[in-house]
Amino acid sequence: MKKGHSFHIPVMGIGFTIDTPIKVAQYGIDSVIFISDDILLEKMRKMYSSKFKLPYIEIGEKEEDSRAKRITSYLNLMKEVAENKLENIKNASIEKGNELKKYFSLLPDTSRLKQEFIKFTEKITDVTEVKKWLNDNLSLGDINVNIMTKLDKVNYNPHNKKEALSVEFNDAHAALRGYANSDLSSSMVFSAGMNPRLFAYLEQFNDFYPNLNGEIKKKVVIKVSDYRSALIQGKFLAKKGIWVSEYRIESGLNCGGHAFATEGFLMGPILEEFKTNRKELVESVYSVLVKALETKGKVIPTETLSIRVTAQGGVGTADEQRFLINNYGIDSVGWGSPFLLVPEATTVDEKTLQQLEQAKEKDLFLSNISPLGVPFNNLRGNTKDLEKAAFADKGRPGSSCPKKFLALDGEFSEKTLCTASRQYQHLKIKQLEAKKDEISEGDYQKQYSNITDKSCICVGLGTSALMVNEIDRKVEGDGVSICPGPNMAYYSKKTSLSDMVGHIYGKNNVMERTDRPNMFVKELGLYLDYLKSKINETTSDMNRKQEKYLVNFSKNLENGIEYYRTMFSNVKSSFGEAKESIQTELNKAFVELGTLNTDIEHLILNKVKVSK
């Protein structure tokens, strides 16, 4: 089957893409869903079973291995619904098949699949032959799943709350098993870095191993922010006989959700390194894989396995889409935040949709609200943050923590707590009160804010799906968290699926603003702001580690700017008249970096004076 599309819809939050495959897979569009919230998945399965008249037997929380079973059942339901929708498209008459027309109208004009269909139907008019061609050539978009590797909390026996269950019942392990036991043939996307124990668990499931022809039913995709990370993780998994089929490069800061900033490494140079070393990556990792498969007595493919390299984070124009594919050999480009304004593809409640439509740069910011302690992209004024503030104003900061997926902190008890929970924040504030006389009022307020700023995002990021589908949310409430990337500022209206896909392929333009910076320039600006914030956080008594971090960060940004200056000078067929303004912005960035370097030098000099 030929891939018709050169873009994919990445995972967004917990609930915003929870049913995206049911909405778009029948058009051959790949998407990713977050599978770690089995409570939400079970509610969605009940709703969709009723909608499509499919059998439903509830899987209760106290049932053995309920988490994995719920995940498996929901994934199988999505596959069944998506396949039925695709069958209806294939069986529709050419004249009256609006969905069939939509399938092909969404494809770019350069698509081989589209061109072959046009040629075929010009020659063949026999309905039976046409349907056979459709059956042989139309494919379902991949229903891919995502697990954040760090979300691997220990769970307890539902019948004996003091008895910790074995590691395979940890959150991420159970989610992996839920996917492994499903009927899907797609990809597991791992994000947030390595979890050696979780990666080792892949070895237990045959679907992750290649057959003689090199086919893998369930592929592994890892999100990476640099080449070195890809090589390390690729070899680590290869030693276990597991092939990484795709390396998904995501911008450190110009993306949605959690922001895993690199040490000043920019998207362009990272993509260039993958382009240069792609062959080496395949060969070096494959040699490790073959040895592992031999040791395990597994089948060794007759030919070297291939990889896909994909990219996402801040892409916003057809020109940028084409450039990533043509210049860097990217196999698919992820378009995330813009799809939050496409109800045909994602699930966002009406109030939040309106906030997204009105959002400008100042409304989209890196926040401290994530219990994971990682910078988190946030939308100013979202209803979950308003709810959090209201609780704090009443003297009851924190959440009731109904789901506990982010309960990972073990400071106060053997049973870990979420730092956004009311229980944790009460204990932490009590701890802070005990030393109130020893610190300044300013320090006290700063520490108090750091404690109470944490938000219950594991609930808030899934609430929209419940609201839109009118599903009971007595436990969850109405507070919505949402995590769009900075690129959201340049999209200001609700958009149809056809128009958004047309925008991606350059058939039309859904952006009303004309001042959007190039994706590379935007990311550079975000990194300069990030470096500035790190400098401001650093005091005169900074340690060697902090000094090294700031110096390396700055040097990597300088190298990145130089790379872009050369690259944009040499580009002939992309970015047109914008190249001159891009070079101007790069020059401004270089001057700004010079000022920041001066600030870093002052910090180093002050450190030397203090040490003397």
Side-chain angles (χ1 to χ4, degrees):
M1 292 287 186
K2 301 179 185 70
K3 281 279 180 190
H5 289 285
S6 56
F7 79 94
H8 60 271
I9 302 176
V11 64
M12 284 184 274
I14 292 173
F16 304 114
T17 55
I18 199 73
D19 53 354
T20 293
I22 289 176
K23 297 180 175 185
V24 305
Q26 68 270 26
Y27 303 121
I29 298 172
D30 296 349
S31 59
V32 189
I33 78 161
F34 183 81
I35 60 170
S36 293
D37 187 346
D38 62 297
I39 300 167
L40 176 61
L41 295 184
E42 182 67 7
K43 288 185 175 185
M44 294 294 289
R45 184 171 74 91
K46 182 179 181 181
M47 183 274 295
Y48 271 118
S49 294
S50 174
K51 182 174 181 177
F52 292 107
K53 296 180 171 55
L54 298 170
Y56 170 79
I57 299 173
E58 182 181 359
I59 301 170
E61 285 185 44
K62 293 189 176 182
E63 187 173 324
E64 185 181 356
D65 205 18
S66 62
R67 180 174 171 76
K69 288 176 180 175
R70 285 174 164 185
I71 292 167
T72 300
S73 297
Y74 183 67
L75 296 178
N76 287 344
L77 175 139
M78 280 204 303
K79 180 175 184 287
E80 183 177 354
V81 171
E83 284 178 341
N84 288 341
K85 286 188 172 185
L86 181 59
E87 283 304 307
N88 290 338
I89 289 175
K90 289 177 179 178
N91 292 324
S93 65
I94 295 175
E95 296 80 16
K96 297 180 180 179
N98 290 331
E99 287 293 278
L100 179 61
K101 291 174 184 174
K102 186 172 182 178
Y103 188 106
F104 284 101
S105 70
L106 289 172
L107 292 171
D109 293 336
T110 54
S111 163
R112 282 179 58 197
L113 183 67
K114 187 172 188 174
Q115 292 169 355
E116 286 174 14
F117 179 69
I118 292 170
K119 287 180 183 177
F120 184 82
T121 50
E122 283 174 352
K123 296 176 183 176
I124 307 294
T125 55
D126 182 80
V127 174
T128 305
E129 286 295 308
V130 171
K131 286 187 176 180
K132 184 179 183 306
W133 189 95
L134 293 173
N135 196 56
D136 291 341
N137 289 276
L138 295 201
S139 61
L140 203 63
D142 286 348
I143 302 173
N144 299 318
V145 305
N146 168 252
I147 289 177
M148 283 188 74
T149 57
K150 300 289 190 288
L151 305 188
D152 202 21
K153 173 179 59 65
V154 172
N155 285 309
Y156 290 79
N157 188 334
H159 305 291
N160 179 3
K161 299 292 185 181
K162 293 183 179 180
E163 180 193 341
L165 295 172
S166 54
V167 66
E168 65 265 26
F169 293 100
N170 283 13
D171 280 353
H173 280 69
L176 173 54
R177 182 168 60 258
Y179 171 66
N181 291 336
S182 75
D183 298 332
L184 289 177
S185 177
S186 59
S187 297
M188 161 64 72
V189 182
F190 288 114
S191 61
M194 282 183 67
N195 179 336
R197 194 163 58 173
L198 180 66
F199 284 1
Y201 191 48
L202 286 163
E203 295 179 76
Q204 297 194 22
F205 304 100
N206 287 328
D207 280 359
F208 289 103
Y209 292 99
N211 65 16
L212 197 62
N213 297 322
E215 298 161 338
I216 305 173
K217 183 174 182 181
K218 290 183 170 66
K219 301 180 181 70
V220 169
V221 175
I222 54 171
K223 274 192 191 179
V224 293
S225 55
D226 58 60
Y227 178 77
R228 181 174 173 272
S229 172
L231 191 59
I232 290 170
Q233 294 187 69
K235 285 186 175 180
F236 182 91
L237 284 161
K239 286 176 183 176
K240 301 182 181 305
I242 304 298
W243 180 250
V244 176
S245 297
E246 179 182 327
Y247 295 89
R248 184 158 289 186
I249 306 160
E250 185 171 68
S251 170
L253 291 178
N254 199 15
C255 60
H258 286 92
F260 296 93
T262 65
E263 200 173 276
F265 293 110
L266 299 172
M267 192 77 162
I270 292 168
L271 292 170
E272 188 70 44
E273 190 171 10
F274 270 88
K275 176 184 174 181
T276 303
N277 297 313
R278 185 166 179 160
K279 185 180 178 184
E280 179 201 337
L281 177 63
V282 172
E283 290 175 351
S284 62
V285 175
Y286 188 70
S287 64
V288 176
L289 179 82
V290 170
K291 289 177 185 175
L293 292 174
E294 284 176 345
T295 302
K296 288 174 173 286
K298 296 282 186 181
V299 169
I300 297 173
T302 54
E303 294 183 6
T304 303
L305 297 177
S306 63
I307 63 167
R308 281 163 55 85
V309 177
T310 60
Q312 58 197 43
V315 186
T317 67
D319 210 12
E320 291 171 354
Q321 160 95 4
R322 283 191 298 268
F323 184 74
L324 291 177
I325 292 169
N326 296 334
N327 191 64
Y328 296 111
I330 294 302
D331 294 292
S332 179
V333 178
W335 284 68
S337 297
F339 272 100
L340 290 171
L341 290 176
V342 184
E344 287 175 77
T346 57
T347 303
V348 184
D349 64 283
E350 193 58 40
K351 180 176 175 58
T352 307
L353 265 174
Q354 291 172 8
Q355 288 180 303
L356 291 173
E357 286 178 315
Q358 295 163 13
K360 301 293 184 286
E361 287 91 341
K362 63 181 175 60
D363 303 307
L364 303 159
F365 66 105
L366 270 186
S367 72
N368 187 41
I369 69 169
S370 172
L372 291 179
V374 177
F376 186 77
N377 282 283
N378 204 3
L379 173 66
R380 208 174 300 281
N382 70 77
T383 52
K384 194 67 179 176
D385 278 0
L386 297 178
E387 179 189 275
K388 176 186 68 178
F391 282 134
D393 289 343
K394 291 176 183 176
R396 299 188 73 231
S399 162
S400 60
C401 198
K403 293 188 174 181
K404 298 181 172 55
F405 294 129
L406 297 180
L408 302 170
D409 189 283
E411 181 181 354
F412 295 110
S413 66
E414 186 179 340
K415 275 194 177 182
T416 52
L417 301 173
C418 177
T419 57
S421 70
R422 189 164 293 138
Q423 183 182 359
Y424 175 88
Q425 293 191 8
H426 169 73
L427 292 169
K428 203 69 181 170
I429 291 168
K430 191 176 177 182
Q431 191 182 73
L432 179 62
E433 291 285 347
K435 61 175 184 178
K436 191 172 183 180
D437 295 336
E438 303 168 19
I439 58 176
S440 69
E441 178 62 24
D443 281 345
Y444 175 85
Q445 290 300 332
K446 184 178 180 181
Q447 290 182 49
Y448 183 88
S449 295
N450 283 339
I451 294 167
T452 59
D453 201 20
K454 297 292 183 274
S455 182
C456 183
I457 58 174
C458 78
V459 169
L461 289 172
T463 309
S464 262
L466 300 175
M467 295 176 77
V468 170
N469 292 294
E470 298 181 347
I471 297 172
D472 172 68
R473 52 187 185 278
K474 288 176 186 173
V475 173
E476 294 87 353
D478 291 339
V480 174
S481 303
I482 193 162
C483 48
N487 203 25
M488 190 77 248
Y490 309 105
Y491 295 83
S492 54
K493 60 182 178 182
K494 200 184 296 185
T495 305
S496 70
L497 178 63
S498 294
D499 283 347
M500 182 57 73
V501 175
H503 174 81
I504 291 170
Y505 293 135
K507 298 177 184 178
N508 53 269
N509 179 22
V510 301
M511 277 193 292
E512 294 177 345
R513 289 181 63 172
T514 57
D515 60 341
R516 176 187 174 277
N518 173 273
M519 61 175 285
F520 296 122
V521 172
K522 177 69 176 180
E523 187 198 45
L524 172 58
L526 293 168
Y527 267 97
L528 286 168
D529 290 342
Y530 191 80
L531 176 59
K532 194 183 304 178
S533 70
K534 289 298 176 185
I535 292 170
N536 292 336
E537 288 172 12
T538 307
T539 60
S540 58
D541 61 343
M542 71 175 177
N543 56 41
R544 175 63 186 149
K545 184 179 178 183
Q546 290 172 311
E547 179 186 335
K548 185 180 177 184
Y549 176 81
L550 293 177
V551 170
N552 287 345
F553 199 112
S554 174
K555 186 63 181 174
N556 290 332
L557 283 185
E558 186 178 329
N559 292 339
I561 292 171
E562 205 50 50
Y563 167 84
Y564 284 140
R565 281 173 162 171
T566 304
M567 183 196 82
F568 282 110
S569 295
N570 294 335
V571 168
K572 303 299 180 188
S573 58
S574 298
F575 307 120
E577 296 175 0
K579 281 191 285 187
E580 187 176 336
S581 64
I582 288 171
Q583 291 287 8
T584 300
E585 291 301 316
L586 291 174
N587 291 336
K588 287 180 183 176
F590 188 77
V591 172
E592 185 178 351
L593 182 60
T595 303
L596 295 177
N597 278 333
T598 302
D599 294 338
I600 294 170
E601 287 166 9
H602 286 159
L603 283 170
I604 294 170
L605 285 172
N606 287 335
K607 174 194 167 188
V608 172
K609 288 177 183 177
V610 170
S611 65
K612 287 180 178 178

